[in-house]
Amino acid sequence: MDDLFAARSQMALSLGFHIIFACIGMVMPFFMATSHYKYLKTNNPLYMDLTKAWSKGVAIFFVTGAVSGTMLSFELGLLWPEFMLHAGPIFGMPFSLEGTAFFIEAIFLGFFLYGWGKFKPWFHWFTGVVVGISGLASGILVVAANGWMNSPSGFDFVDGKFLNIDPVAALFNDAWFTQALHMSLAAFTATGFAVAGIHAYMILKGKNREFHRKAFTIAIVFGAIAALLQPISGDISAKDIAVRQPAKLAAMEAHFETSKSAPLIIGGIPDVEAKEVNYAIKIPGALSFLAHGDFEAEVIGLDQFPEEYHPPVAVVHYAFQIMVGLGMVLVGLSLLYFLSLWKKKDWQLKPWFLWLFALATPLGFIALEAGWTVTEVGRQPWIIYEIMLTKDAVTPIPGIKYSFFIFTAIYVSLAGIVSFLLYRQIKAVPDSLKKNSQASSNT
Amino acid sequence: MLYVVIIFLCLSLLMYVLLGGADFGAGILEIFTPASMREQLRDTTYKTIGPIWEANHMWLIIAIVILFVGFPPIYTTLSVHLHIPLALMLIGIIGRGTAFVFRHYDAYQDDMQKVYNFIFTYSSFITPFFLGLIFGAAIGGQIDPEAMGFYEAYIHPWFNLFSISVGVFTVAICGFLASVFLVGEAKKPKVKSVIIGKAKLFIVFTVIAGGLVFAASIIDEVPLVGLLLKEWITIGTLVLATIAVVVLWMKLKEGNKMMVRFLSGFVVTAILLAFGYHYFPDIIITKSGENLSVFNSSAIGKPIDTLAWALLVGSLFILPSLGYLIYSFQGSKEPNQANG
Ligand code: HDD
Ligand code: HEM
Ligand code: HEM
């Protein structure tokens, strides 16, 4: 394993790990606030229990998100010093604003978690809402920083020097909006389906059905709405990168040769040597339509780029298929849920219905990781698109693979402990419910 | 605007050492506490530090962001030459942060608690040690951007007596801050007297470790003592700090909690100020003498201006809410969440 590959792997691992916790930290506060709101409106103690049960899970996830994020802010320098030396002042603006958002999030989480019985109920509710909003804001900001790497702006690049830097223009780069929109929706989709799935499974097990049904409903409504919007936003992203990063689009679609009325390639095994895709379904003209809104339009292929600037085609292509495929599955499930609301309320208690959602628990997160693989691997070999190569940015210190092994071990154990804790939280729900309803009858 | 950024950088580092330090110190104290008392100590710690815990380590993140946006050469030089201690410090941060929360949110109180406690206490020790070591290495003058060999470039800059002694000194300071901080919180007389004992112990430690830093600076030929004693301001601040330590020692038992806390904060601030004043504006002292300072390493123009505005506007939001957070949980009796 050479140092560059080790550094890329370590970065990918850290980001892939962080994103899971970041999404949960961004979205769960909204679920909690909804449940809390229902409690304040209806006085049904089940909603109070639900808010508290969720808030314990969130505390565990939040801290894991926070430490893995802290890691990342050091890792950017530990692994990519040459990149940070130039990029820091340019794309730093979102990070410095994000600092504020994180701070507010952390402070208000303190209010929310430790504030039971201390504040007026509506103020307490409000602190929870602030946690959600500032989490979402920090997610959008950091994605804007990533957008800058895909679509650098806000400086003049003259003789290898970065001049006339304008951080505000860098923040509002061409990619920020499409990426931030798609990512925010993805966070709601992934977290919504994951939470709904776990509660669907608990209903199947038959414990505290009322409690878990309430939880399921809140989570799935958020998740399903986001999942239905996801393909629309994804289409906007695809049209955008067709113009902005044609090499990435070509890799996603395994589109080797520039052509008019290009076919959409679904599935298949890309053969990079022979520049063709075997065993794929091809829909004539569909790619031209998706990318440019016209069945006849020309779509740039990989042949327009020198070989050394091609992203790894197979990885990007597979990742894209996984994301879109799972996206469609989630759209189907969302439609099923709304159908059941509209016509067939009794479906919601049928085992087959619950099993479908229980099995879908990880799908949103798999789609999300796949989507990031498309974006990040599709940008290769550039760390700053068409400005700086990843291999020129890597740290000079040798032996990065040892660091990669150590951090892999740490992340694996953390993931293990978090799952274990979550399992125990869920297992303990019946006990804590009894305690809580006693406590809430006292207040 | 550059000065605004510099002030925020100093402020966030100071806050991290004071608040974060008290926080690490609480873990260090546990190592030095007999098993029978640990449970009570842990309770006291959790009540005092729990609510502001999350906010504490944000100071570090702010400092890092300021460094990479405003002073990228400093950030990258540290990242390259001090890669190893930085990575070790990160491991400490991960272990500590997670263990602290896990042990309170585990739904069952069983043997896993031992694992969390083990990780918590030892990473509380590792993190400030490496933090101090990195600080020592930055000013120790052994960083050599031209170095070719692995040892010269990536090990020697931090693996030396001076850096290590600064690490030990930082650990002592954290223990000192935490024990003084907790004195005011302990309700039971027995716990209180144990904590006062620890506070005295850590004052002694800190003084010894401080002596160690000076001794190491002489052995490693870091020009510290001579220069520190040349400037009146540094001498004055250090004398004030010493007086404050003596007063603190006498007042530990009957002094009110705000006063002893203030004194301990004052001592640490004064030490940092003396160092800061002495080295200003340099941040990294290199072997060749071409030091990296906040002036010669800063980004210029718009990046600095926007950073300064972001910090100013941000603090308008942050400071009032942080103040209110600390105020709200003053003297709270019950950690509600724990039994909620
Ligand atoms: C729940 C997760 C999820 C789902 C169901 C989808 N996506 Fe996605 N996608 C993401 C999660 C995601 C992501 C992880 O959030 C990415 C990575 C970077 C980004 O901004 O969003 C992404 C990136 C991404 C990109 C690259 C954007 C860029 O590089 O700027 C495109 C073109 C699409 N997506 C298109 C789609 C389409 C057509 C979908 C149709 C169903 C779809 N995505 C479903
Ligand atoms: C959290 C979601 C993200 C995931 C899952 C993710 C995933 C990845 C992956 C898989 C790579 C390796 C690509 C390769 O080398 O083949 C990578 C590289 C990288 N990413 Fe991301 N990324 C995410 C978000 C971000 C953001 C928000 C930033 C910066 C603001 C960022 C900065 C980088 C950098 C600097 C590299 C290394 C250089 C490179 O390989 O081009 N990433 N990421
Ligand atoms: C798409 C990518 C990312 C998203 C959506 C995202 C979002 C978030 C969110 C919502 C949090 C709050 C913690 C929580 O609720 O669990 C968080 C924490 C954090 N993230 Fe990320 N992040 C991303 C990538 C990054 C990158 C690339 C960095 C560093 C350069 C980073 C640095 C941090 C830091 C320092 C924290 C801790 C802040 C705290 O203590 O609250 N994140 N992230």
Side-chain angles (χ1 to χ4, degrees):
Chain A
M1 190 182 245
D2 67 10
D3 285 324
L4 175 59
F5 187 68
R8 285 167 60 187
S9 312
Q10 183 176 330
M11 196 71 200
L13 176 76
S14 318
L15 285 158
F17 185 83
H18 179 67
I19 192 67
I20 296 177
F21 297 90
C23 283
I24 292 170
M26 252 168 0
V27 174
M28 284 302 286
F30 289 101
F31 295 180
M32 274 153 37
T34 311
S35 157
H36 197 172
Y37 176 85
K38 292 224 166 187
Y39 170 70
L40 292 174
K41 283 283 170 199
T42 63
N43 253 323
N44 181 345
L46 273 184
Y47 281 117
M48 169 62 110
D49 294 335
L50 181 58
T51 313
K52 285 195 176 174
W54 272 346
S55 75
K56 285 184 192 167
V58 165
I60 295 170
F61 278 98
F62 187 88
V63 68
T64 318
V67 293
S68 57
T70 310
M71 281 270 322
L72 279 170
S73 41
F74 282 91
E75 261 178 324
L76 283 176
L78 290 177
L79 299 175
W80 315 103
E82 192 55 30
F83 164 64
M84 290 308 282
L85 187 61
H86 302 290
I90 312 175
F91 84 161
M93 169 109 178
F95 287 104
S96 43
L97 293 176
E98 194 196 10
T100 304
F102 280 153
F103 227 124
I104 293 177
E105 193 183 358
I107 292 172
F108 278 81
L109 190 73
F111 280 131
F112 184 76
L113 289 181
Y114 295 84
W116 292 104
K118 281 208 177 76
F119 299 126
K120 292 217 177 72
W122 283 104
F123 177 74
H124 190 210
W125 177 79
F126 173 73
T127 62
V129 176
V130 175
V131 175
I133 292 175
S134 46
L136 198 58
S138 56
I140 291 175
L141 285 164
V142 76
V143 171
N146 182 265
W148 180 81
M149 295 164 61
N150 281 319
S151 181
S153 61
F155 62 94
D156 295 325
F157 193 59
V158 187
D159 298 333
K161 288 205 174 64
F162 296 77
L163 302 173
N164 300 327
I165 295 172
D166 180 354
V168 180
L171 169 62
F172 294 108
N173 56 71
D174 291 341
W176 87 273
F177 182 73
T178 47
Q179 276 196 240
L181 175 69
H182 196 60
M183 174 64 215
S184 309
L185 288 174
F188 276 94
T189 311
T191 314
F193 273 91
V195 173
I198 292 175
H199 289 288
Y201 181 71
M202 297 308 288
I203 303 175
L204 277 170
K205 299 253 295 203
K207 281 189 187 154
N208 294 305
R209 278 174 159 239
E210 264 317 296
F211 174 85
H212 289 295
R213 285 203 44 179
K214 291 198 160 32
F216 175 83
T217 305
I218 294 177
I220 198 66
V221 168
F222 276 100
I225 294 176
L228 290 175
L229 296 173
Q230 197 78 357
I232 303 172
S233 139
D235 182 52
I236 302 176
S237 291
K239 290 199 165 48
D240 190 39
I241 59 171
V243 180
R244 202 160 40 71
Q245 288 178 294
K248 183 191 278 180
L249 184 79
M252 275 156 50
E253 296 293 345
H255 181 57
F256 289 101
E257 256 142 71
T258 307
S259 60
K260 290 201 166 154
S261 94
L264 182 69
I265 298 179
I266 299 176
I269 301 173
D271 182 343
V272 181
E273 301 287 302
K275 303 209 183 323
E276 56 186 32
V277 187
N278 303 318
Y279 316 112
I281 304 168
K282 297 186 182 165
I283 308 174
L287 178 58
S288 293
F289 181 73
L290 285 180
H292 298 290
D294 171 4
F295 284 100
E296 294 300 315
E298 182 177 77
V299 179
I300 297 175
L302 285 167
D303 57 350
Q304 298 286 306
F305 302 90
E307 197 103 353
E308 78 252 42
Y309 295 154
H310 286 189
V313 177
V315 177
V316 180
H317 180 67
Y318 292 138
F320 187 64
Q321 306 298 310
I322 293 176
M323 168 174 67
V324 176
L326 292 179
M328 290 307 163
V329 173
L330 297 179
V331 165
L333 285 176
S334 308
L335 291 175
L336 182 71
Y337 176 74
F338 286 119
L339 190 71
S340 77
L341 264 192
W342 180 45
K343 281 257 137 98
K344 307 261 181 204
K345 272 264 180 212
D346 56 321
W347 280 2
Q348 292 190 20
L349 288 172
K350 294 258 158 53
W352 62 267
F353 184 91
L354 293 166
W355 269 116
L356 276 179
F357 283 90
L359 290 175
T361 304
L363 297 189
F365 277 103
I366 299 175
L368 187 124
E369 299 279 359
W372 276 105
T373 310
V374 172
T375 301
E376 300 288 277
V377 180
R379 189 185 61 236
Q380 300 307 314
W382 302 100
I383 189 166
I384 310 174
Y385 188 62
E386 293 191 329
I387 301 277
M388 186 189 280
L389 288 168
T390 309
K391 70 171 162 33
D392 297 333
V394 71
T395 180
I397 182 171
I400 295 297
K401 68 174 173 207
Y402 299 106
S403 144
F404 171 60
F405 295 148
I406 292 172
F407 283 106
T408 307
I410 291 177
Y411 283 128
V412 170
S413 10
L414 266 184
I417 298 183
V418 170
S419 327
F420 171 73
L421 284 178
L422 202 65
Y423 166 74
R424 300 232 269 191
Q425 283 290 350
I426 293 171
K427 209 171 95 180
V429 160
D431 312 347
S432 64
L433 277 184
K434 262 180 240 131
K435 251 190 282 163
N436 280 350
S437 31
Q438 279 161 15
S440 41
S441 59
N442 293 339
T443 46
Chain B
M1 285 320 248
L2 180 58
Y3 281 94
V4 175
V5 176
I6 296 173
I7 290 171
F8 270 98
L9 179 62
C10 298
L11 202 70
S12 48
L13 281 175
L14 179 67
M15 291 304 277
Y16 187 61
V17 173
L18 287 181
L19 295 176
D23 184 2
F24 291 128
I28 299 172
L29 274 184
E30 277 190 38
I31 306 182
F32 293 91
T33 307
S36 55
M37 301 288 295
R38 268 187 212 153
E39 200 52 46
Q40 281 164 327
L41 179 70
R42 235 169 255 154
D43 246 33
T44 318
T45 315
Y46 186 66
K47 277 180 215 162
T48 327
I49 295 176
I52 55 168
W53 177 85
E54 249 304 318
N56 275 349
H57 83 275
M58 283 305 303
W59 298 111
L60 178 64
I61 296 172
I62 300 276
I64 292 299
V65 170
I66 294 179
L67 274 186
F68 77 58
V69 180
F71 312 98
I74 295 179
Y75 174 75
T76 51
T77 308
L78 291 176
S79 309
V80 171
H81 293 280
L82 306 179
H83 187 115
I84 297 169
L86 275 168
L88 293 171
M89 181 178 89
L90 281 178
I91 294 177
I93 290 180
I94 296 180
R96 203 194 123 73
T98 47
F100 180 79
V101 170
F102 290 172
R103 73 179 184 185
H104 282 281
Y105 285 96
D106 195 338
Y108 298 91
Q109 305 282 319
D110 55 15
D111 279 355
M112 279 304 283
Q113 292 288 329
K114 290 205 185 101
V115 180
Y116 305 140
N117 288 333
F118 178 84
I119 299 177
F120 179 72
T121 44
Y122 285 91
S123 47
S124 297
F125 182 83
I126 290 173
T127 315
F129 174 73
F130 282 107
L131 183 75
L133 179 141
I134 290 161
F135 186 65
I139 60 171
Q142 299 301 321
I143 292 181
D144 181 0
E146 257 81 74
M148 295 312 284
F150 185 79
Y151 183 82
E152 282 71 32
Y154 305 116
I155 306 278
H156 181 66
W158 54 272
F159 192 68
N160 53 52
L161 212 55
F162 179 68
S163 307
I164 293 173
S165 67
V166 178
V168 173
F169 183 61
T170 314
V171 172
I173 286 205
C174 292
F176 161 70
L177 280 172
S179 46
V180 174
F181 196 82
L182 290 178
V183 166
E185 289 301 314
K187 294 286 176 307
K188 300 204 183 79
K190 213 170 123 213
V191 181
K192 185 161 179 157
S193 72
V194 171
I195 295 182
I196 290 182
K198 297 293 169 231
K200 292 194 165 164
L201 183 74
F202 273 104
I203 292 179
V204 175
F205 267 175
T206 310
V207 173
I208 296 176
L212 204 68
V213 172
F214 284 120
S217 76
I218 293 168
I219 300 172
D220 274 0
E221 294 174 13
V222 178
L224 187 68
V225 188
L227 288 177
L228 271 183
L229 294 185
K230 241 193 211 145
E231 292 151 334
W232 282 109
I233 298 200
T234 47
I235 299 181
T237 351
L238 289 178
V239 169
L240 280 179
T242 317
I243 296 175
V245 171
V246 176
V247 177
L248 182 62
W249 181 281
M250 297 188 309
K251 291 281 174 187
L252 261 181
K253 210 164 226 141
E254 74 278 17
N256 84 13
K257 81 178 182 192
M258 278 345 263
M259 180 173 128
V260 292
R261 278 184 197 177
F262 173 79
L263 280 175
S264 66
F266 176 79
V267 171
V268 177
T269 313
I271 296 174
L272 283 178
L273 268 184
F275 271 82
Y277 180 82
H278 172 57
Y279 280 101
F280 187 84
D282 291 337
I283 303 274
I284 301 180
I285 311 289
T286 63
K287 214 162 193 166
S288 62
E290 282 175 22
N291 302 340
L292 298 179
S293 78
V294 285
F295 296 126
N296 69 19
S297 302
S298 80
I300 34 176
K302 280 196 186 158
I304 283 288
D305 295 348
T306 40
L307 176 61
W309 280 111
L311 290 167
L312 286 171
V313 174
S315 52
L316 280 185
F317 285 99
I318 292 167
L319 294 179
S321 19
L322 187 63
Y324 187 58
L325 179 69
I326 295 173
Y327 164 81
S328 300
F329 293 101
Q330 275 295 324
S332 57
K333 281 169 243 81
E334 284 269 298
N336 270 307
Q337 184 59 32
N339 49 26

